[in-house]
């Protein structure tokens, strides 16, 4: 039986998730995400796929974040016609996120083409359009948590809650038939235990191979208590001392809703009545309604809290929802007492950049970075201490205070990743994906240092690597893309 796994994204980088399963000639893709980062990184999204899109039998999508779902329209544009299996809420969120991505693609291409026409250059095409997104939505097959479905002749799948964002899933895959059957578990993006709104990540017990993310494989987040104390101190210091605005670049799905919930829970303790809080993101506003509508899969504390105050929904009561461009621009005339939550989460697009132009140079302002920032993004530059940013072609001095609040991360840290892996029986083989090299190296060392839980085989995925799954738990690489050794 032919059974292989090949890696075509999120290899020694966090974004661009894309992994190809082939069993007896049938191909199933795990995720198909956009590459994010600097301009050179984003240009790679236009590269042809290293496989024939029309030969892909099905896609299994772990969650809606654009670095996992964002190249699905391009895949369809290149000839993919099969089903896309995903959790129900993920399909609803993709309806919002992929439409927004298409709009940005078309707008960006139109802007570039105006310059190209002046230079007598051939016009460019957007990576995909809203028509391509419509086709993606038509090809979704929704799957509920715990439901086991057949996605190809010899592949069955079950999704379990990953606790990362609404609808995020750990993907269990049964490959082939017994007695040769192998089980692959793809973590997707793993969330954190005890975080608000969502249930904790599901522990899985059995696997022959674990494909695990490693975004924060080299660090530990602050405790939840320390994070809440830190946020309170930022608000208190700003209103009592600097008296400026607070800007929070936030992912429209996940982080924005978490912030709304915290502002509701701690409104009195953090003295938030002294602030005007604005969610300045049409996409985040729409995503918030999806969270409200998917009440049954949220955690028990959130559901209990909501039942206790039915007329005061914790996601809808504490902030003004700013939809129109005119309303957003008007916020720029306010110089103190304003908290703005806006996209994009890595500061490489969206309305947050306009607010940066009016606030980043002001020493009274505060910027709260509360999510992963990919290499090359403006958010990463701020975290690394940049003294200026280029925004809309102009240089903007960084005088605002930059706060990196890692405890708000929706990704598991090193200890949480290890805990999740150690719940597997018999220490299955593991391959690390979705992480930068240093984070992966440190996590791999931590995995292998305990003999009692040391994986049977371990490796860090390299782009193009092709693994023979029939040889598990031994790693047999079938191509010369890399000579990946067991770590």
């Amino acid at each position: 039986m032919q059974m292989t796994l090949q890696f075509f994204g999120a290899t020694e980088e966090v974004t661009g998730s894309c992994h190809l399963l082939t069993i007896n000639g049938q191909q199933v893709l795990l995720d198909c995400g956009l590459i994010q980062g600097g301009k050179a990184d984003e240009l790679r999204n236009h590269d042809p796929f290293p496989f024939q899109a029309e030969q892909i039998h099905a896609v299994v999508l772990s969650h809606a974040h654009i670095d996992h779902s964002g190249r699905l329209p391009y895949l369809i544009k290149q000839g993919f016609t099969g089903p896309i299996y995903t959790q129900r809420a993920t399909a609803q969120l993709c309806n919002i996120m992929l439409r927004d991505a298409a709009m940005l693609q078309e707008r960006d291409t139109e802007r570039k083409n105006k310059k190209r026409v002046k230079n007598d250059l051939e016009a460019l095409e957007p990576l995909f359009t809203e028509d391509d997104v419509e086709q993606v939505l038509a090809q979704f097959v929704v799957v509920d948590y715990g439901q086991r479905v057949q996605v190809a002749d010899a592949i069955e799948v079950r999704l379990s809650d990953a606790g990362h964002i609404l609808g995020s899933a750990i993907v269990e895959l049964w490959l082939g038939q017994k007695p040769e059957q192998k089980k692959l578990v793809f973590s997707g993006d793993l969330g954190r235990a005890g975080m608000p709104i969502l249930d904790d990540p599901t522990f899985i017990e059995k696997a022959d191979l674990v494909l695990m993310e490693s975004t924060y494989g080299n660090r530990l987040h602050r405790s939840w208590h320390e994070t809440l104390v830190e946020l309170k101190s930022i608000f208190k210091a700003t209103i009592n001392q600097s008296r400026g605005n607070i800007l929070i670049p936030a992912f429209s799905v996940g982080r924005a809703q978490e912030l709304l919930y915290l502002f509701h829970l701690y409104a009195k303790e953090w003295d938030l009545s002294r602030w005007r809080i604005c969610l300045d993101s049409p996409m985040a506003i729409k995503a918030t309604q999806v969270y409200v509508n998917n009440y049954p899969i949220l955690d028990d504390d959130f559901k209990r809290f909501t039942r206790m105050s039915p007329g005061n929904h914790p996601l809808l009561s504490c902030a003004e929802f700013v939809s129109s461009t005119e309303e957003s621009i008007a916020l720029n005339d306010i110089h103190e007492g304003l908290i703005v939550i806006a996209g994009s989460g890595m500061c490489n697009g969206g309305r947050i950049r306009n607010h940066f132009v009016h606030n980043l140079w002001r020493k009274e302002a505060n910027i709260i970075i509360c999510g992963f920032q990919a290499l090359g993004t403006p958010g990463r530059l701020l975290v690394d201490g940049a003294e200026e940013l280029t925004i809309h072609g102009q240089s903007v001095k960084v005088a605002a205070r930059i706060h990196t609040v890692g405890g708000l991360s929706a990704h598991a840290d090193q200890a949480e990743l290890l805990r999740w892996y150690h719940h597997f029986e018999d220490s299955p083989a593991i391959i690390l994906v979705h992480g930068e090299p240093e984070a992966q190296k440190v996590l791999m060392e931590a995995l292998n240092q305990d003999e009692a839980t040391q994986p049977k085989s371990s490796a860090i995925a390299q782009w193009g690597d092709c693994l023979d799954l029939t040889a598990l738990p031994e790693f047999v690489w079938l191509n010369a893309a890399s000579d990946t050794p067991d770590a």
Side-chain angles (χ1 to χ4, degrees), residues 192 194-196 222-229 258 262 266 407-408:
R192 306 176 59 202
M195 296 296 281
R222 280 193 170 190
S223 72
W224 190 234
H225 172 72
E226 290 173 320
T227 299
L228 296 177
V229 170
E258 184 178 272
L262 291 179
Y266 298 100
L408 284 176

Side-chain angles (χ1 to χ4, degrees), residues 67 81 94 110 138 157 185 188 195 215 223 237 289 301 320 326 330 336 347 372 431 436 447 467 471 477 481:
D67 62 319
T81 59
C94 282
E110 182 180 0
V157 164
V185 175
M195 296 296 281
T215 307
S223 72
Q289 192 58 53
D301 287 342
E320 300 174 36
E326 293 75 18
E336 64 177 76
C347 313
F372 179 79
I431 296 178
E436 293 172 359
L447 281 163
L467 181 68
W477 303 96

Side-chain angles (χ1 to χ4, degrees), residues 109-126:
T109 304
E110 182 180 0
R111 178 179 54 80
K112 290 178 180 176
N113 282 339
K114 286 180 180 178
K115 294 181 181 179
R116 293 178 69 86
V117 167
K118 292 179 182 178
N119 294 311
D120 203 26
L121 296 173
E122 184 179 351
L124 302 173
E125 284 190 13

Side-chain angles (χ1 to χ4, degrees), residues 234-243 271 274-275:
I234 294 170
F235 299 136
K236 183 178 180 180
T238 305
I239 203 70
N240 291 333
Q241 298 169 24
S242 67
R243 301 188 64 80
D271 200 14
R274 301 174 67 180
W275 294 88

Side-chain angles (χ1 to χ4, degrees), residues 7 182 184 207-212 421 424-432 443-445 447-451 453-461 467-477 484-487:
F7 304 93
K182 301 293 183 181
L184 167 66
D208 294 295
L209 174 65
V210 177
L211 194 59
M212 189 172 80
Y421 172 76
F424 285 96
E425 298 175 357
D426 301 323
S427 303
I430 187 170
I431 296 178
L432 298 184
L443 179 59
M444 187 62 76
E445 290 172 353
L447 281 163
N448 284 306
Q449 70 182 8
D450 187 346
E451 290 186 9
T453 56
Q454 185 177 24
K456 289 184 172 65
S457 300
S458 59
I460 295 169
L467 181 68
D468 180 1
L469 297 177
T470 65
L472 291 172
E474 298 299 319
F475 283 169
V476 175
W477 303 96
T484 306
D486 288 2

